[in-house]
Coordinates of all heavy atoms in Angstrom, one line a residue:
D65 N 0.8 -1.2 0.0 CA 0.0 0.0 0.0 C 0.9 1.3 0.0 O 1.9 1.3 0.7 CB -0.9 0.0 1.2 CG -2.0 -1.0 1.2 OD1 -2.3 -1.4 0.0 OD2 -2.5 -1.4 2.2
H66 N 0.4 2.3 -0.7 CA 1.1 3.5 -0.8 C 0.6 4.5 0.3 O -0.6 4.7 0.4 CB 0.9 4.2 -2.2 CG 1.6 5.5 -2.3 ND1 3.0 5.7 -2.4 CD2 1.1 6.7 -2.4 CE1 3.2 6.9 -2.5 NE2 2.1 7.6 -2.5
V67 N 1.5 5.0 1.1 CA 1.2 6.0 2.1 C 1.2 7.4 1.5 O 2.2 7.7 0.8 CB 2.1 5.9 3.3 CG1 1.8 6.9 4.3 CG2 2.1 4.5 3.9
V68 N 0.2 8.1 1.6 CA 0.2 9.5 1.1 C 1.0 10.4 2.0 O 0.8 10.5 3.2 CB -1.3 10.0 1.0 CG1 -1.3 11.5 0.5 CG2 -2.1 9.1 0.1
M69 N 2.0 11.0 1.3 CA 2.9 11.9 2.0 C 2.5 13.4 1.7 O 1.9 13.6 0.6 CB 4.3 11.6 1.6 CG 4.8 10.2 1.9 SD 4.8 9.8 3.7 CE 6.1 10.8 4.3
P70 N 2.8 14.3 2.6 CA 2.5 15.7 2.3 C 3.0 16.2 0.9 O 2.2 16.9 0.2 CB 3.2 16.5 3.4 CG 3.3 15.5 4.5 CD 3.5 14.2 3.8
E71 N 4.1 15.7 0.5 CA 4.6 16.2 -0.8 C 3.8 15.7 -2.0 O 3.8 16.2 -3.1 CB 6.1 15.8 -1.0 CG 6.4 14.4 -0.9 CD 6.8 13.9 0.5 OE1 6.5 14.6 1.5 OE2 7.3 12.8 0.6
D72 N 3.0 14.6 -1.7 CA 2.1 14.1 -2.8 C 0.9 15.0 -3.0 O 0.3 14.9 -4.1 CB 1.6 12.7 -2.4 CG 2.7 11.6 -2.3 OD1 3.7 11.8 -3.1 OD2 2.5 10.7 -1.6
V73 N 0.5 15.8 -2.0 CA -0.7 16.6 -2.1 C -0.4 18.1 -2.2 O -1.3 18.9 -2.6 CB -1.7 16.3 -1.0 CG1 -2.2 14.9 -1.0 CG2 -1.0 16.6 0.4
L74 N 0.8 18.5 -2.0 CA 1.1 19.9 -2.0 C 1.2 20.4 -3.5 O 1.7 19.7 -4.4 CB 2.4 20.2 -1.3 CG 2.4 20.1 0.2 CD1 3.8 20.3 0.7 CD2 1.5 21.0 0.8
L75 N 0.7 21.6 -3.7 CA 0.8 22.2 -5.0 C 2.1 23.0 -5.1 O 2.6 23.5 -4.1 CB -0.4 23.2 -5.3 CG -1.7 22.6 -5.3 CD1 -2.8 23.7 -5.4 CD2 -1.9 21.6 -6.5
S76 N 2.6 23.1 -6.3 CA 3.8 24.0 -6.5 C 3.4 25.5 -6.3 O 2.2 25.8 -6.5 CB 4.4 23.8 -7.9 OG 3.6 24.4 -8.9
N77 N 4.3 26.3 -6.1 CA 4.0 27.8 -6.0 C 3.3 28.3 -7.2 O 2.4 29.1 -7.2 CB 5.2 28.6 -5.7 CG 5.5 28.6 -4.2 OD1 4.7 28.2 -3.4 ND2 6.7 29.1 -3.8
N78 N 3.8 27.8 -8.4 CA 3.2 28.3 -9.6 C 1.7 27.9 -9.7 O 0.9 28.7 -10.2 CB 3.9 27.7 -10.9 CG 5.2 28.5 -11.1 OD1 5.4 29.6 -10.5 ND2 6.1 27.9 -11.9
E79 N 1.4 26.6 -9.3 CA 0.0 26.2 -9.4 C -0.9 27.0 -8.4 O -2.0 27.3 -8.7 CB -0.1 24.7 -9.0 CG 0.4 23.8 -10.1 CD 0.5 22.4 -9.7 OE1 1.0 22.1 -8.6 OE2 0.0 21.5 -10.4
I80 N -0.3 27.3 -7.2 CA -1.1 28.1 -6.2 C -1.3 29.5 -6.8 O -2.4 30.0 -6.8 CB -0.3 28.2 -4.9 CG1 -0.3 26.8 -4.2 CG2 -0.9 29.2 -4.0 CD1 0.6 26.7 -3.0
L81 N -0.3 30.1 -7.3 CA -0.4 31.5 -7.9 C -1.4 31.5 -9.0 O -2.2 32.4 -9.1 CB 0.9 32.0 -8.3 CG 1.9 32.2 -7.1 CD1 3.3 32.7 -7.7 CD2 1.4 33.2 -6.1
E82 N -1.4 30.5 -9.9 CA -2.4 30.4 -11.0 C -3.8 30.4 -10.5 O -4.7 31.0 -11.1 CB -2.1 29.2 -11.9 CG -0.9 29.4 -12.8 CD -0.7 28.1 -13.7 OE1 -1.7 27.4 -13.9 OE2 0.5 27.9 -14.0
S83 N -4.0 29.7 -9.4 CA -5.4 29.7 -8.8 C -5.9 31.0 -8.3 O -7.0 31.2 -8.1 CB -5.5 28.6 -7.8 OG -4.8 28.9 -6.6
F84 N -4.9 31.9 -8.1 CA -5.3 33.3 -7.6 C -5.8 34.2 -8.7 O -6.3 35.2 -8.4 CB -4.1 33.9 -6.9 CG -3.6 33.3 -5.6 CD1 -2.5 33.9 -5.0 CD2 -4.2 32.2 -5.1 CE1 -2.0 33.3 -3.8 CE2 -3.8 31.7 -3.9 CZ -2.7 32.2 -3.2
I85 N -5.6 33.8 -9.9 CA -5.8 34.6 -11.1 C -7.2 34.4 -11.7 O -7.6 33.2 -11.9 CB -4.8 34.4 -12.2 CG1 -3.3 34.6 -11.7 CG2 -5.0 35.2 -13.4 CD1 -3.0 35.9 -11.2
C86 N -8.0 35.4 -11.9 CA -9.3 35.3 -12.5 C -9.1 35.1 -14.0 O -8.4 35.8 -14.7 CB -10.1 36.6 -12.3 SG -11.6 36.7 -13.2
P87 N -9.8 34.1 -14.5 CA -9.7 33.8 -16.0 C -10.2 34.9 -16.9 O -9.8 35.0 -18.0 CB -10.5 32.5 -16.2 CG -10.9 32.0 -14.9 CD -10.6 33.1 -13.9
I88 N -11.1 35.8 -16.3 CA -11.6 36.9 -17.1 C -10.7 38.1 -17.0 O -10.4 38.7 -18.1 CB -13.0 37.3 -16.6 CG1 -14.0 36.1 -16.7 CG2 -13.6 38.5 -17.3 CD1 -15.3 36.3 -16.1
T89 N -10.3 38.5 -15.9 CA -9.5 39.7 -15.7 C -8.0 39.5 -15.8 O -7.2 40.4 -16.1 CB -9.7 40.4 -14.3 OG1 -9.2 39.5 -13.3 CG2 -11.2 40.7 -14.1
T90 N -7.6 38.2 -15.7 CA -6.2 37.8 -15.6 C -5.4 38.5 -14.5 O -4.2 38.7 -14.6 CB -5.4 37.9 -17.0 OG1 -5.3 39.3 -17.3 CG2 -6.1 37.1 -18.1
S91 N -6.1 39.0 -13.5 CA -5.5 39.6 -12.3 C -5.8 38.8 -11.1 O -6.7 38.0 -11.1 CB -6.1 41.0 -12.1 OG -5.8 41.8 -13.2
V92 N -5.0 39.0 -10.0 CA -5.3 38.3 -8.7 C -6.6 38.8 -8.2 O -7.0 39.9 -8.2 CB -4.2 38.7 -7.7 CG1 -4.5 38.1 -6.4 CG2 -2.8 38.2 -8.2
M93 N -7.4 37.8 -7.8 CA -8.8 38.0 -7.3 C -8.8 38.6 -5.9 O -8.0 38.2 -5.1 CB -9.6 36.7 -7.4 CG -9.8 36.3 -8.8 SD -10.8 34.7 -8.8 CE -9.4 33.5 -8.6
E94 N -9.7 39.5 -5.6 CA -9.9 40.0 -4.3 C -11.2 39.5 -3.7 O -11.3 39.3 -2.5 CB -10.0 41.6 -4.4 CG -8.8 42.2 -4.8 CD -8.9 43.8 -4.8 OE1 -9.9 44.3 -4.3 OE2 -8.0 44.4 -5.4
D95 N -12.2 39.2 -4.5 CA -13.5 38.7 -4.1 C -13.9 37.5 -5.0 O -14.8 37.5 -5.8 CB -14.6 39.8 -4.2 CG -15.9 39.4 -3.5 OD1 -15.9 38.3 -2.9 OD2 -16.8 40.1 -3.7
P96 N -13.1 36.3 -4.8 CA -13.4 35.2 -5.6 C -14.7 34.5 -5.3 O -15.1 34.3 -4.2 CB -12.2 34.2 -5.3 CG -11.8 34.6 -3.9 CD -12.1 36.1 -3.8
V97 N -15.4 34.1 -6.4 CA -16.7 33.4 -6.3 C -16.7 32.2 -7.3 O -16.0 32.3 -8.3 CB -17.9 34.3 -6.6 CG1 -18.1 35.4 -5.5 CG2 -17.8 34.9 -8.0
I98 N -17.4 31.1 -6.9 CA -17.5 29.9 -7.7 C -18.8 30.0 -8.5 O -19.8 30.3 -7.9 CB -17.5 28.7 -6.8 CG1 -16.2 28.6 -5.9 CG2 -17.6 27.4 -7.7 CD1 -16.3 27.6 -4.8
C99 N -18.6 29.8 -9.8 CA -19.8 29.8 -10.7 C -20.3 28.4 -10.9 O -19.6 27.4 -10.5 CB -19.3 30.4 -12.0 SG -20.6 30.8 -13.2
S100 N -21.4 28.2 -11.5 CA -22.0 26.9 -11.7 C -21.1 26.0 -12.6 O -21.4 24.8 -12.7 CB -23.4 26.9 -12.2 OG -23.5 27.5 -13.4
D101 N -20.2 26.6 -13.4 CA -19.3 25.8 -14.2 C -18.1 25.2 -13.4 O -17.3 24.4 -13.9 CB -18.7 26.6 -15.4 CG -17.8 27.7 -14.9 OD1 -17.7 28.0 -13.7 OD2 -17.3 28.4 -15.8
G102 N -18.1 25.5 -12.1 CA -17.1 25.0 -11.2 C -15.8 25.8 -11.1 O -14.9 25.6 -10.3
S103 N -15.7 26.8 -12.0 CA -14.6 27.7 -12.0 C -14.8 28.9 -11.0 O -15.9 29.2 -10.7 CB -14.3 28.3 -13.4 OG -14.0 27.2 -14.3
T104 N -13.6 29.5 -10.6 CA -13.7 30.6 -9.7 C -13.3 31.9 -10.5 O -12.4 31.8 -11.3 CB -12.7 30.4 -8.5 OG1 -13.2 29.3 -7.8 CG2 -12.7 31.6 -7.6
Y105 N -14.0 32.9 -10.2 CA -13.8 34.2 -10.9 C -13.9 35.4 -9.9 O -14.4 35.2 -8.8 CB -15.0 34.5 -11.9 CG -15.1 33.4 -13.0 CD1 -16.1 32.3 -12.8 CD2 -14.4 33.3 -14.1 CE1 -16.2 31.3 -13.7 CE2 -14.5 32.3 -15.0 CZ -15.4 31.3 -14.8 OH -15.6 30.3 -15.7
E106 N -13.4 36.5 -10.3 CA -13.5 37.7 -9.5 C -15.0 38.1 -9.6 O -15.6 38.1 -10.7 CB -12.7 38.9 -10.1 CG -12.9 40.2 -9.4 CD -12.5 40.2 -8.0 OE1 -11.5 39.5 -7.6 OE2 -13.2 40.9 -7.2
R107 N -15.7 38.4 -8.5 CA -17.1 38.6 -8.5 C -17.6 39.7 -9.5 O -18.5 39.4 -10.2 CB -17.6 39.0 -7.1 CG -19.1 39.2 -7.0 CD -19.5 39.8 -5.6 NE -19.2 38.9 -4.5 CZ -19.9 37.8 -4.1 NH1 -21.1 37.6 -4.7 NH2 -19.6 37.1 -3.1
S108 N -16.9 40.8 -9.5 CA -17.4 41.9 -10.4 C -17.2 41.5 -11.8 O -18.1 41.8 -12.6 CB -16.6 43.2 -10.1 OG -15.2 43.0 -10.3
A109 N -16.2 40.7 -12.2 CA -16.0 40.3 -13.6 C -17.0 39.3 -14.0 O -17.6 39.4 -15.1 CB -14.6 39.8 -13.8
I110 N -17.3 38.3 -13.2 CA -18.3 37.3 -13.6 C -19.7 37.9 -13.6 O -20.5 37.5 -14.4 CB -18.2 36.0 -12.8 CG1 -19.0 34.9 -13.4 CG2 -18.6 36.2 -11.3 CD1 -18.6 34.4 -14.7
K111 N -20.0 38.8 -12.7 CA -21.3 39.4 -12.7 C -21.5 40.2 -14.0 O -22.6 40.1 -14.6 CB -21.5 40.3 -11.5 CG -21.8 39.5 -10.2 CD -21.9 40.4 -9.0 CE -23.3 41.0 -8.9 NZ -23.5 41.7 -7.6
Q112 N -20.5 40.9 -14.4 CA -20.6 41.7 -15.7 C -20.8 40.7 -16.8 O -21.6 40.9 -17.7 CB -19.4 42.5 -15.9 CG -19.4 43.4 -17.1 CD -18.2 44.3 -17.1 OE1 -17.4 44.4 -16.2 NE2 -18.1 45.0 -18.2
W113 N -20.0 39.6 -16.8 CA -20.1 38.6 -17.9 C -21.5 38.0 -17.9 O -22.1 37.9 -19.0 CB -19.1 37.5 -17.6 CG -19.2 36.3 -18.6 CD1 -20.0 35.2 -18.5 CD2 -18.5 36.2 -19.8 NE1 -19.9 34.4 -19.5 CE2 -18.9 34.9 -20.4 CE3 -17.5 36.9 -20.4 CZ2 -18.4 34.5 -21.5 CZ3 -17.0 36.4 -21.6 CH2 -17.4 35.2 -22.2
L114 N -22.1 37.7 -16.8 CA -23.4 37.0 -16.7 C -24.6 37.9 -17.1 O -25.6 37.4 -17.5 CB -23.6 36.4 -15.3 CG -22.7 35.3 -14.9 CD1 -23.0 34.9 -13.5 CD2 -22.9 34.1 -15.8
R115 N -24.4 39.2 -17.1 CA -25.4 40.2 -17.6 C -25.6 40.0 -19.1 O -26.6 40.3 -19.6 CB -25.0 41.6 -17.3 CG -25.3 42.0 -15.9 CD -25.1 43.5 -15.6 NE -24.6 43.7 -14.3 CZ -23.3 44.1 -14.0 NH1 -22.5 44.4 -15.0 NH2 -22.9 44.2 -12.8
K116 N -24.5 39.5 -19.8 CA -24.5 39.5 -21.2 C -24.6 38.0 -21.8 O -24.9 37.8 -23.0 CB -23.3 40.1 -21.8 CG -23.1 41.6 -21.4 CD -21.8 42.1 -22.0 CE -21.6 43.6 -21.5 NZ -20.3 44.0 -21.8
S117 N -24.3 37.1 -20.9 CA -24.1 35.7 -21.4 C -24.7 34.7 -20.5 O -24.6 34.8 -19.2 CB -22.7 35.4 -21.7 OG -22.5 34.1 -22.2
D118 N -25.2 33.6 -21.0 CA -25.6 32.4 -20.2 C -24.6 31.3 -20.3 O -24.9 30.1 -20.0 CB -27.0 31.9 -20.7 CG -28.1 32.9 -20.5 OD1 -28.0 33.6 -19.5 OD2 -29.0 32.9 -21.3
R119 N -23.4 31.6 -20.8 CA -22.4 30.6 -21.1 C -21.2 30.8 -20.2 O -20.9 31.9 -19.8 CB -22.0 30.6 -22.5 CG -23.1 30.2 -23.5 CD -22.6 30.0 -24.9 NE -23.5 29.2 -25.7 CZ -23.7 27.9 -25.6 NH1 -23.2 27.2 -24.6 NH2 -24.6 27.3 -26.4
S120 N -20.5 29.7 -19.9 CA -19.2 29.8 -19.1 C -18.2 30.5 -19.9 O -17.9 30.3 -21.1 CB -18.7 28.4 -18.8 OG -17.4 28.4 -18.4
P121 N -17.5 31.5 -19.2 CA -16.4 32.2 -19.9 C -15.2 31.3 -20.2 O -14.4 31.5 -21.0 CB -16.0 33.3 -19.0 CG -16.7 33.1 -17.7 CD -17.8 32.0 -17.9
T122 N -15.1 30.2 -19.4 CA -13.9 29.3 -19.6 C -14.2 28.1 -20.6 O -13.3 27.7 -21.3 CB -13.4 28.7 -18.3 OG1 -14.4 28.1 -17.6 CG2 -12.8 29.8 -17.4
T123 N -15.4 27.6 -20.6 CA -15.7 26.4 -21.4 C -16.7 26.8 -22.6 O -16.8 26.0 -23.5 CB -16.4 25.3 -20.6 OG1 -17.7 25.8 -20.1 CG2 -15.5 24.9 -19.4
N124 N -17.3 27.9 -22.5 CA -18.4 28.3 -23.5 C -19.6 27.4 -23.5 O -20.4 27.4 -24.4 CB -17.8 28.4 -24.9 CG -18.7 29.3 -25.8 OD1 -19.3 30.2 -25.3 ND2 -18.8 28.9 -27.0
L125 N -19.7 26.5 -22.5 CA -20.9 25.7 -22.3 C -22.0 26.4 -21.6 O -21.7 27.3 -20.8 CB -20.5 24.4 -21.6 CG -19.5 23.5 -22.2 CD1 -19.2 22.3 -21.3 CD2 -20.1 22.9 -23.5
A126 N -23.2 26.0 -21.8 CA -24.3 26.7 -21.1 C -24.2 26.4 -19.6 O -23.9 25.3 -19.2 CB -25.6 26.1 -21.7
L127 N -24.5 27.5 -18.9 CA -24.4 27.4 -17.4 C -25.7 26.8 -16.9 O -26.8 27.2 -17.4 CB -24.1 28.7 -16.8 CG -22.8 29.3 -17.1 CD1 -22.7 30.8 -16.6 CD2 -21.7 28.6 -16.4
E128 N -25.7 26.0 -15.9 CA -26.9 25.5 -15.2 C -27.7 26.6 -14.6 O -28.9 26.6 -14.6 CB -26.5 24.4 -14.1 CG -26.1 23.1 -14.6 CD -25.8 22.2 -13.5 OE1 -26.4 22.3 -12.4 OE2 -24.9 21.3 -13.7
N129 N -27.0 27.5 -14.0 CA -27.6 28.7 -13.3 C -26.6 29.8 -13.2 O -25.4 29.6 -13.5 CB -28.2 28.3 -12.0 CG -27.1 27.8 -11.0 OD1 -26.2 28.5 -10.6 ND2 -27.2 26.5 -10.6
K130 N -27.0 30.9 -12.7 CA -26.1 32.0 -12.5 C -25.8 32.3 -11.1 O -25.4 33.4 -10.7 CB -26.7 33.3 -13.2 CG -26.8 33.1 -14.7 CD -27.3 34.4 -15.4 CE -27.3 34.3 -16.9 NZ -27.6 35.6 -17.5
S131 N -26.0 31.3 -10.2 CA -25.6 31.5 -8.8 C -24.1 31.6 -8.6 O -23.3 31.0 -9.3 CB -26.1 30.2 -8.0 OG -27.5 30.1 -8.1
L132 N -23.7 32.4 -7.7 CA -22.3 32.6 -7.3 C -22.1 32.3 -5.9 O -22.9 32.8 -5.0 CB -21.9 34.0 -7.7 CG -22.0 34.5 -9.1 CD1 -21.7 36.0 -9.3 CD2 -21.2 33.6 -10.0
I133 N -21.1 31.5 -5.5 CA -20.9 31.2 -4.2 C -19.5 31.7 -3.8 O -18.5 31.5 -4.5 CB -20.8 29.6 -4.0 CG1 -22.2 29.1 -4.4 CG2 -20.5 29.2 -2.6 CD1 -22.2 27.6 -4.6
P134 N -19.4 32.5 -2.7 CA -18.1 33.0 -2.3 C -17.1 31.9 -2.1 O -17.4 30.9 -1.5 CB -18.4 33.7 -1.0 CG -19.9 34.0 -1.0 CD -20.5 32.9 -1.8
N135 N -15.9 32.0 -2.6 CA -14.8 31.1 -2.4 C -14.0 31.6 -1.2 O -12.9 32.2 -1.4 CB -14.0 30.9 -3.7 CG -13.1 29.7 -3.6 OD1 -12.7 29.3 -2.5 ND2 -12.7 29.1 -4.8
L136 N -14.5 31.3 0.0 CA -13.8 31.9 1.2 C -12.5 31.3 1.4 O -11.6 32.0 1.8 CB -14.7 31.7 2.4 CG -16.1 32.3 2.3 CD1 -17.0 31.9 3.5 CD2 -16.0 33.8 2.1
A137 N -12.3 30.0 1.1 CA -11.0 29.4 1.3 C -9.9 30.0 0.4 O -8.8 30.4 0.9 CB -11.1 27.9 1.1
L138 N -10.3 30.3 -0.8 CA -9.3 30.9 -1.8 C -9.1 32.3 -1.4 O -7.9 32.8 -1.4 CB -9.8 30.8 -3.2 CG -8.9 31.3 -4.3 CD1 -7.5 30.6 -4.2 CD2 -9.5 31.2 -5.6
R139 N -10.1 33.0 -1.0 CA -9.9 34.4 -0.5 C -8.9 34.5 0.6 O -8.0 35.3 0.7 CB -11.3 35.1 -0.1 CG -11.1 36.5 0.3 CD -12.3 37.1 0.9 NE -13.4 37.0 0.0 CZ -14.7 37.3 0.3 NH1 -15.0 37.7 1.6 NH2 -15.7 37.1 -0.5
H140 N -9.1 33.6 1.6 CA -8.2 33.5 2.7 C -6.7 33.2 2.3 O -5.8 33.9 2.8 CB -8.7 32.5 3.7 CG -7.8 32.3 4.9 ND1 -7.7 33.3 5.9 CD2 -6.9 31.4 5.3 CE1 -6.8 32.9 6.8 NE2 -6.4 31.7 6.5
L141 N -6.6 32.3 1.4 CA -5.2 31.9 0.9 C -4.6 33.1 0.2 O -3.4 33.4 0.4 CB -5.3 30.8 -0.1 CG -5.4 29.4 0.4 CD1 -5.6 28.4 -0.7 CD2 -4.2 29.0 1.2
I142 N -5.3 33.8 -0.6 CA -4.8 35.0 -1.3 C -4.4 36.1 -0.3 O -3.3 36.6 -0.4 CB -5.8 35.6 -2.3 CG1 -6.0 34.6 -3.5 CG2 -5.4 36.9 -2.9 CD1 -7.2 34.9 -4.4
Q143 N -5.3 36.3 0.7 CA -4.9 37.3 1.7 C -3.7 36.9 2.5 O -2.8 37.8 2.8 CB -6.1 37.5 2.6 CG -7.3 38.2 2.0 CD -8.6 38.2 2.8 OE1 -8.7 37.5 3.8 NE2 -9.5 39.1 2.4
E144 N -3.6 35.7 2.8 CA -2.4 35.2 3.6 C -1.1 35.3 2.7 O -0.1 35.8 3.2 CB -2.6 33.7 4.0 CG -3.5 33.5 5.1 CD -3.1 34.2 6.4 OE1 -1.9 34.0 6.8 OE2 -3.9 34.9 7.0
Y145 N -1.2 35.0 1.5 CA -0.1 35.1 0.6 C 0.4 36.5 0.4 O 1.6 36.8 0.3 CB -0.4 34.5 -0.8 CG 0.7 34.4 -1.7 CD1 1.7 33.4 -1.7 CD2 0.9 35.4 -2.7 CE1 2.8 33.4 -2.5 CE2 2.0 35.4 -3.5 CZ 2.9 34.4 -3.5 OH 4.0 34.3 -4.3
Q146 N -0.6 37.5 0.4 CA -0.2 38.9 0.1 C 0.4 39.6 1.4 O 0.8 40.7 1.3 CB -1.5 39.6 -0.4 CG -1.9 39.2 -1.7 CD -3.2 39.9 -2.2 OE1 -4.0 40.2 -1.4 NE2 -3.3 40.0 -3.5
R147 N 0.3 38.9 2.5 CA 0.9 39.5 3.7 C 2.4 39.6 3.7 O 3.1 38.9 3.1 CB 0.5 38.7 5.0 CG -1.0 39.0 5.3 CD -1.3 38.3 6.6 NE -2.8 38.6 6.8 CZ -3.4 38.1 7.9 NH1 -2.8 37.4 8.8 NH2 -4.7 38.4 8.0

């Protein structure tokens, strides 16, 4: 049996930093929210997008709904990283 070690689950710094970037604005997010496509976006950017489109900005597939859920864990990580 393989024992899972911390290095097996840790992300590289580049992967962590990429997750801080909004796919719409290409800037570090301040108020990240999860859309029904499963992706995280800057709240203001995805709200503006959703006023004009029913499709995902990353996949171009139709969205199930336009609900946005705050990504509190990611917001906390970004804030900690910026300290």
Side-chain angles (χ1 to χ4, degrees):
D65 289 336
H66 177 71
V67 177
V68 176
M69 300 298 289
E71 59 270 16
D72 294 334
V73 295
L74 291 177
L75 297 173
S76 74
N77 275 349
N78 283 346
E79 288 173 310
I80 291 171
L81 294 176
E82 282 180 27
S83 70
F84 292 179
I85 305 297
C86 172
I88 298 172
T89 66
T90 66
S91 297
V92 174
M93 293 179 275
E94 293 179 17
D95 189 9
V97 293
I98 304 168
C99 189
S100 65
D101 66 355
S103 294
T104 297
Y105 304 95
E106 176 63 37
R107 182 185 299 274
S108 59
I110 190 66
K111 284 178 82 170
Q112 185 175 355
W113 175 274
L114 294 175
R115 281 188 215 111
K116 301 175 186 172
S117 180
D118 293 329
R119 298 191 159 288
S120 163
T122 55
T123 65
N124 199 36
L125 297 174
L127 294 168
E128 285 181 27
N129 61 63
K130 293 186 175 188
S131 297
L132 301 174
I133 301 166
N135 191 333
L136 300 177
L138 184 57
R139 181 186 306 168
H140 178 72
L141 280 174
I142 293 169
Q143 289 170 344
E144 287 296 311
Y145 184 82
Q146 292 175 332
R147 286 186 182 180

